[in-house]
Amino acid sequence: MRKVAIIGIGQTPVDEHWDKSLRDLAGEALIAALQDANRETIDGLFIGNMLSGIVNRQENLGSLIADWVGLHGVEAFKVEAACGSGAAALRVALMAVSSGEMDSAIALGVEKMTDTKGADTTAALATAADADYEAAMGLSFVAINALVMQRYLYEYGWKHTDFAQFSINAHANAVHNPCARLQEAITEKEYRKARMVAEPINLLDASPIGDGAAAVLVIPAEHLRPNGRGRPVITIAGSASATDTLAVHDRPDPLWLAAAERSVQRAYAQAGLGPGEIDLFELHDAFSIMSALSLEACGFAERGQGPRLALDGEIALNGRIPITTRGGLKARGHPVGATGIYQIVEVVQQLRGEAGGTQVDGARIGMAQNIGGSGATIVTHILTAT
Amino acid sequence: MRKVAIIGIGQTPVDEHWDKSLRDLAGEALIAALQDANRETIDGLFIGNMLSGIVNRQENLGSLIADWVGLHGVEAFKVEAACGSGAAALRVALMAVSSGEMDSAIALGVEKMTDTKGADTTAALATAADADYEAAMGLSFVAINALVMQRYLYEYGWKHTDFAQFSINAHANAVHNPCARLQEAITEKEYRKARMVAEPINLLDASPIGDGAAAVLVIPAEHLRPNGRGRPVITIAGSASATDTLAVHDRPDPLWLAAAERSVQRAYAQAGLGPGEIDLFELHDAFSIMSALSLEACGFAERGQGPRLALDGEIALNGRIPITTRGGLKARGHPVGATGIYQIVEVVQQLRGEAGGTQVDGARIGMAQNIGGSGATIVTHILTAT
């Protein structure tokens, strides 16, 4: 199995892109990744996307996007794992290159989701949950997470405001990310007074959706040539994915992300690393409760103690485990099927020292974790710079 | 890169399954493949499906199906390439195993598409074409194929009835396939008198949709153990995929399947074989015109001469290149995202000598070709028995 390196990244701003179609956004990010890698073509294209069928009435994105950007004839498919689609596409690109099937591939995440009405978007997002046993009962996706958070507060005795720092930290970092959807800081007072969405989740616990695309170009590490730009070599040291029950009520403990634990343990083992060696962690903060659960499942906090890291400032850029360093889902935005690739792009920025105002000093090892459904499909990547 | 073998197959009948959900069908085929391979679990699950988001309001099929069949925690994603989704999922399973990322995987195709109204199905299927430049103009998927067939008749001077044998052959074979949707023979007179759908495509040129699931279990060939059942070893000797423009009007020649040619040439080269050595060919006869175009692009007929093979009986079980030996899309049925895996299951049946009344004598090398969109995404597999 060949080791795989990331040599190109590209992204569009996350926003409501009224003047750009899905193919426009995908093309921008893809061409940016090619240019960043100083390449003109690739052997394969794997597209993380969740909602193109329902929202854009467009499937067959592989052919659509390969054709649009002039990559005539390349192998190209869509990979779907709800909000985990982006990192799932990277898994496929990695296997394509590590197997020797191809010598270069792009994993692209793209979502164009603001062209529809809010209620339709909510219904579309509910397809990430169990259609027969959750969505059919009227549970929206935010409602599922609200039930989880409610239970978490009850079980471990935290108050809602103990989660404020997750959102404050994400927004503070997004100020320095020109691709972030919400480039504005928030205060604890604003967090406390934010409009309720689904008790106890308020507007500032929840990530905004958006349109956007991001891309990473991978090749076998053995093909690396000096890039003449003084950049470090970014290698995928760990990559693993696992599933849990789709419906949250089927889990022995709804407050434990078993698939996160399973995938991160495999990724740690592959990389020969543990949580103490991770310099930054782009986690899947679709809701603030998910930040706490992810930190616990990945070994950064004891069970039920995730909020403690936020309260103690350990998630800040100079803390023990900086998270959402470019704004996270909360403030960079959550174009669902694209999010997993945005996370990878952001980890690469950190490892290259290109994270500007939110650079984590001396970052050499970064982790990203992308989640589809309420913990149902979880993909973890560990990247290292040498 | 490790060679990959197919050691298990499973399928449900293609039908209108009013009493079974998507997960029921998927589970039946998957468990049948496990049992056929005499295994209890696998490392990964890759699901070919096109329409679950639009028609079943269910994404995240990886977690849904892994959970449903008790494959707790395994890596599982959906792979989508319109009607080519099934074979695309097999491509991913193959790369997962050949890379060494995992030691076993199932490629599952599933589609549950008859729970919706006919007009909605037509609109859903149009998402395989270009939403902005084809579907938005009112072109349904059958209409696109009708334009292609019209042009073919004009360009090469064939009559509509010259295509009759493609459908007659498929139906004759389906009589012997208990999983086929239409297990009944048709006559040339019935073909000629069939109701028009979109000039010149009539009802007996077109494949019926349906509900169904099929699965194949792959492992590294180096892990093969004697199975004690006297079965031949089925190896994937060639596997390749390519794309063309999504919209047919963007192609220099709308009557040439460039992506089929590209993918089949790569598969031939991998297998060290040519068209003269293929014992049977499960092609993508969504419409009778597609049979002719596929035979030409894959080197079995000169350009514009596909119908000649049908008229001369060369596509029959004892002909030069038997096609649609278990009924094809035309009579086995076309549960779109599942079709590519049905084709693989059928080739394995032939190579094992388990094809009953439609067994091709001495079949040792079989090919399957699955198409997403009107020739936009094309995946070719060559299997060999030793």
Side-chain angles (χ1 to χ4, degrees), chain A residues 1 23 58-60 63 67 73-75 78 80 91 99 101 127-132 243-244 246 377, chain B residues 1 23 58-60 63 67 73-75 78 80 91 99 101 127-132 243-244 246 262 377:
Chain A
M1 201 162 89
R23 75 184 87 191
Q58 179 72 72
E59 293 291 1
N60 223 352
S63 164
D67 176 17
V74 301
E75 174 160 27
K78 165 172 162 174
E80 190 278 327
R91 285 283 299 148
S99 68
E101 276 278 325
T127 63
D130 193 310
D132 297 331
T243 49
D244 198 344
L246 184 56
T377 308
Chain B
M1 201 162 88
R23 75 183 88 191
Q58 179 72 74
E59 293 293 2
N60 223 351
S63 165
D67 176 17
V74 302
E75 176 160 26
K78 165 171 161 176
E80 189 277 328
R91 284 283 300 147
S99 67
E101 276 278 325
T127 63
D130 193 310
D132 296 331
T243 48
D244 198 345
L246 184 56
R262 206 173 278 128
T377 308

Side-chain angles (χ1 to χ4, degrees), chain B residues 158-214:
Chain B
W158 297 101
K159 300 186 304 295
H160 173 256
T161 48
D162 294 328
F163 287 77
Q165 289 302 322
F166 287 120
S167 301
I168 292 167
N169 174 67
H171 276 266
N173 289 336
V175 169
H176 305 278
N177 178 1
C179 287
R181 175 146 189 203
L182 304 174
Q183 299 173 37
E184 45 192 326
I186 60 167
T187 64
E188 181 159 356
K189 185 173 170 196
E190 285 167 327
Y191 175 84
R192 275 190 283 107
K193 298 202 156 200
R195 190 155 54 85
M196 190 54 67
V197 181
E199 178 92 33
I201 292 179
N202 74 25
L203 198 64
L204 291 179
D205 287 302
S207 58
I209 62 161
D211 307 325

Side-chain angles (χ1 to χ4, degrees), chain A residues 190-198 200-205:
Chain A
E190 284 167 327
Y191 175 84
R192 276 189 283 109
K193 299 204 156 201
R195 192 153 54 84
M196 189 55 65
V197 181
I201 292 179
N202 74 25
L203 197 64
L204 291 180
D205 288 302

Side-chain angles (χ1 to χ4, degrees), chain A residues 149 152-167 169 191 205 255 283 288-297 300-316 320-321 323:
Chain A
M149 189 169 185
Y152 189 91
L153 298 181
Y154 169 82
E155 200 73 49
Y156 296 114
W158 297 100
K159 301 186 303 296
H160 172 256
T161 47
D162 294 329
F163 288 76
Q165 288 303 324
F166 287 120
S167 301
N169 175 67
Y191 175 84
D205 288 302
L255 302 181
L283 50 68
S288 55
I289 178 66
M290 292 304 292
S291 295
L293 297 183
S294 298
L295 287 166
E296 295 168 23
F300 296 102
E302 292 295 310
R303 198 177 283 235
Q305 299 304 310
R308 171 64 43 212
L309 285 171
L311 290 166
D312 292 350
E314 300 287 16
I315 62 170
R320 183 152 68 83
I321 181 65
I323 66 171

Side-chain angles (χ1 to χ4, degrees), chain B residues 328-354:
Chain B
L329 281 64
K330 178 66 200 82
R332 173 242 295 127
H334 186 24
V336 291
T339 288
I341 303 293
Y342 274 96
Q343 294 177 312
I344 299 292
V345 165
E346 292 160 356
V347 172
V348 171
Q349 289 182 320
Q350 287 285 2
L351 299 187
R352 283 183 182 173
E354 294 174 357

Side-chain angles (χ1 to χ4, degrees), chain B residues 98-374:
Chain B
S98 71
S99 67
E101 276 278 325
M102 47 188 74
D103 283 336
S104 58
I106 281 183
L108 171 84
V110 60
E111 207 73 69
K112 171 67 176 163
M113 57 195 300
T114 64
D115 281 359
T116 190
K117 285 174 288 184
D120 293 348
T121 309
T122 301
L125 288 170
T127 63
D130 193 310
D132 296 331
Y133 296 96
E134 291 180 322
M137 304 300 126
L139 269 181
S140 70
F141 204 68
V142 59
I144 293 171
N145 282 273
L147 290 172
V148 170
M149 189 170 187
Q150 193 75 271
R151 182 75 196 177
Y152 188 92
L153 298 181
Y154 169 83
E155 199 75 48
Y156 297 114
W158 297 101
K159 300 186 304 295
H160 173 256
T161 48
D162 294 328
F163 287 77
Q165 289 302 322
F166 287 120
S167 301
I168 292 167
N169 174 67
H171 276 266
N173 289 336
V175 169
H176 305 278
N177 178 1
C179 287
R181 175 146 189 203
L182 304 174
Q183 299 173 37
E184 45 192 326
I186 60 167
T187 64
E188 181 159 356
K189 185 173 170 196
E190 285 167 327
Y191 175 84
R192 275 190 283 107
K193 298 202 156 200
R195 190 155 54 85
M196 190 54 67
V197 181
E199 178 92 33
I201 292 179
N202 74 25
L203 198 64
L204 291 179
D205 287 302
S207 58
I209 62 161
D211 307 325
V216 299
L217 197 162
V218 294
I219 64 167
E222 67 202 39
H223 290 191
L224 278 166
R225 295 182 301 267
N227 55 40
R229 285 183 259 189
R231 282 181 183 169
V233 171
I234 311 291
T235 312
I236 301 179
S239 171
S241 169
T243 48
D244 198 345
T245 69
L246 184 56
V248 174
H249 59 246
D250 284 331
R251 297 179 196 158
D253 180 354
L255 302 181
W256 186 250
L257 295 178
E261 183 186 28
R262 206 173 278 128
S263 74
V264 83
Q265 289 300 336
R266 212 176 303 156
Y268 284 149
Q270 289 167 1
L273 295 166
E277 288 151 292
I278 305 296
D279 295 323
L280 71 137
F281 180 21
E282 292 303 330
L283 50 67
H284 193 92
D285 58 324
F287 302 97
S288 56
I289 177 66
M290 291 304 292
S291 295
L293 297 184
S294 298
L295 286 166
E296 295 167 24
C298 295
F300 297 101
E302 292 294 309
R303 198 177 283 235
Q305 298 304 309
R308 172 61 47 212
L309 285 170
L311 289 166
D312 291 351
E314 299 287 17
I315 62 168
L317 295 174
N318 60 355
R320 183 153 65 85
I321 180 64
I323 66 170
T324 58
T325 69
R326 306 293 287 154
L329 281 64
K330 178 66 200 82
R332 173 242 295 127
H334 186 24
V336 291
T339 288
I341 303 293
Y342 274 96
Q343 294 177 312
I344 299 292
V345 165
E346 292 160 356
V347 172
V348 171
Q349 289 182 320
Q350 287 285 2
L351 299 187
R352 283 183 182 173
E354 294 174 357
T358 63
Q359 182 64 49
V360 173
D361 276 348
R364 274 192 53 253
I365 301 168
M367 187 159 84
Q369 191 171 71
N370 190 200
I371 304 186
S374 294

